[in-house]
Amino acid sequence: NINPNVMVVGGGIAGITGALELANAGHHVYLIEREPSIGGHMAQLDKTFPTLDCSACILTPRMVEAGQHPNITLLSYSEVEEVDGYLGNFTVTVRKKARYINEELCTGCGICIEKCPWSVTDEVFEAGLGSRKVIYRPFPQAVPKYPVIDTENCIYFNRNKCKACQIFCPTDAIDFEQQDELVQLNVGSVILATGYDLFDVRKMPQYGYGRLANVFTSLEFERMVNAAGPTNGKIVMRDTETQPKSVAIVHCVGSRDKNHNEYCSRVCCMYSLKFAHLVHERLPNADVYNFYIDIRAAGKRYEEFYHRVMAEGANFIRGRVAEITDAARLPGEEGKLIVQAYDTLAGIQRRVPVDMVILSAGVESRKDAQD
């Protein structure tokens, strides 16, 4: 006898879409997400290619629908511990991590977040560019709306002092005694939509990420150009907070590379073209250089988008970047980042001085996807 219930692991856009299609077809779906809110990487993005529609405008209605659907049981801030049984009849154990918030009482008003006196760098949602409170919601439109306490950095959990969130909570929803819960589910099938990690660009030290201040990852740049991001959408340098006059975008970082991932990640060309457009949109006088191996624009209206970005004045240099340094040798290179690449179309070595570099990292399956 096949159990009609389904478990979807991962609450990004793929998991949400799968869960909604199944729920609308009459199946009961358990949507499991390890972060405090569903939304995944798409919630971090500003615009989507090739139409440049606002990412949140597409995603947020689906998040709300998944959160309110009668056929979807949403278990956020939860992780699958084990799956037993056989095809059509699985018993799943899910660990519902303690938020230290009583969800029955919490109204999601956000007073606790406002009154919390402690902030830390937000390494997950803001990619390390912004900060968040120790009691937090990943972003304002989070689903579910309940905040979560980061016990690693919370002063109450470390030193037994503070309790500001509890003192100011109008509904007494803060519960410092809450424990993790183990929930048992019975499902007939499981969908894994665990998403991706960006390639760790530190594995390519020749590109200077972490050592040269104005080398950014693609996700850091996404947060920077996002109007709701840490810089309110302004493109600024990490050290001086001034706007760059020239930007280099390096394609295929960690993809199509025998030393790292041999496959093409398939999205980097397009999001790199999108970045070139966004730089021109925010900084019309800036020079933009795209260093690419091949442009792979193989989707509906992708090629047209590529031509549009060329028409806007982006420079395209075909060749893999060898290294990025801050060692000025020629006049005009002082204080700049020097991108060195072999231009395979012109057959010459190029040294291009720029103010900012964006590394278009490839995508990998989640590091613990195997588990």
Side-chain angles (χ1 to χ4, degrees), residues 36 48 76 124 148 151 178 206 210 217 221 254 303 323 345 351-352:
T48 54
S76 67
V124 179
V148 60
T151 52
Q178 203 177 53
Q206 67 269 37
T217 66
F221 186 75
E303 189 70 19
E323 67 170 345
L345 295 180
R351 281 174 70 85
V352 180

Side-chain angles (χ1 to χ4, degrees), residues 16 20 38 56 58-70 72 74 141-144:
I16 291 170
L20 285 171
I38 56 174
I58 301 168
L59 174 71
T60 323
R62 292 192 170 193
M63 287 168 57
V64 172
E65 194 185 341
Q68 294 177 348
H69 203 291
I72 296 178
L74 177 56
Q141 303 81 14
V143 173

Side-chain angles (χ1 to χ4, degrees), residues 309-323:
V309 172
M310 279 203 281
E312 286 170 354
N315 300 295
F316 286 85
I317 297 169
R318 186 175 183 273
R320 192 188 281 282
V321 171
E323 67 170 345

Side-chain angles (χ1 to χ4, degrees), residues 4-256:
N5 298 346
V6 183
M7 173 173 75
V8 177
V9 185
I13 186 63
I16 291 170
T17 305
L20 285 171
E21 300 220 343
L22 286 161
N24 289 333
H27 294 271
H28 193 86
V29 181
Y30 296 98
L31 179 56
I32 318 291
E33 168 56 50
R34 62 158 53 140
E35 294 298 328
S37 167
I38 56 174
H41 282 302
M42 190 168 173
Q44 294 172 285
L45 311 184
D46 181 43
K47 298 277 194 291
T48 54
F49 59 79
T51 53
L52 298 173
D53 285 331
C54 142
S55 178
C57 310
I58 301 168
L59 174 71
T60 323
R62 292 192 170 193
M63 287 168 57
V64 172
E65 194 185 341
Q68 294 177 348
H69 203 291
N71 281 345
I72 296 178
T73 301
L74 177 56
L75 294 168
S76 67
Y77 207 48
S78 303
E79 298 206 39
V80 176
E81 292 267 298
E82 64 175 325
V83 179
D84 270 336
Y86 51 90
L87 183 65
N89 206 331
F90 296 108
T91 303
V92 182
T93 309
V94 176
R95 177 176 295 276
K96 206 167 174 241
K97 296 183 279 191
R99 284 175 182 269
Y100 304 98
I101 307 290
N102 182 332
E103 295 179 14
E104 313 276 288
L105 298 175
C106 179
T107 60
C109 68
I111 290 174
C112 55
I113 301 171
E114 205 181 294
K115 299 295 186 186
C116 174
W118 303 100
S119 292
V120 291
T121 304
D122 187 347
E123 297 292 351
V124 179
F125 192 77
E126 295 293 5
L129 288 188
S131 62
R132 62 160 167 78
K133 292 293 183 75
V134 169
I135 182 168
Y136 70 101
R137 269 191 297 239
F139 51 102
Q141 303 81 14
V143 173
K145 61 191 172 187
Y146 314 116
V148 60
I149 295 179
D150 166 10
T151 52
E152 227 171 275
N153 294 299
C154 175
I155 297 300
Y156 175 74
F157 281 93
N158 287 322
R159 295 190 225 150
N160 230 357
K161 290 183 177 142
C162 190
K163 284 196 173 182
C165 51
Q166 194 178 52
I167 294 161
F168 287 103
C169 177
T171 59
D172 294 329
I174 309 286
D175 176 7
F176 289 119
E177 305 304 311
Q178 203 177 53
Q179 299 291 317
D180 289 5
E181 265 179 80
L182 288 177
V183 183
Q184 294 245 306
L185 311 173
N186 294 102
V187 297
S189 42
V190 177
I191 293 177
L192 296 179
T194 51
Y196 65 86
D197 282 327
L198 271 194
F199 170 77
D200 179 3
V201 296
R202 285 189 174 87
K203 290 181 185 167
M204 299 183 76
Q206 67 269 37
Y207 289 168
Y209 178 77
R211 183 166 46 84
L212 304 172
N214 295 312
V215 177
F216 291 84
T217 66
S218 39
L219 205 51
E220 286 176 336
F221 186 75
E222 279 286 0
R223 292 310 300 152
M224 201 193 304
V225 290
N226 193 314
T231 63
N232 300 323
K234 287 194 180 70
I235 299 174
V236 291
M237 317 242 271
R238 211 190 300 258
D239 51 358
T240 59
E241 305 223 338
T242 55
Q243 297 188 318
K245 294 189 172 65
S246 49
V247 178
I249 301 166
V250 180
H251 293 221
C252 300
V253 178
S255 301
R256 301 185 67 190

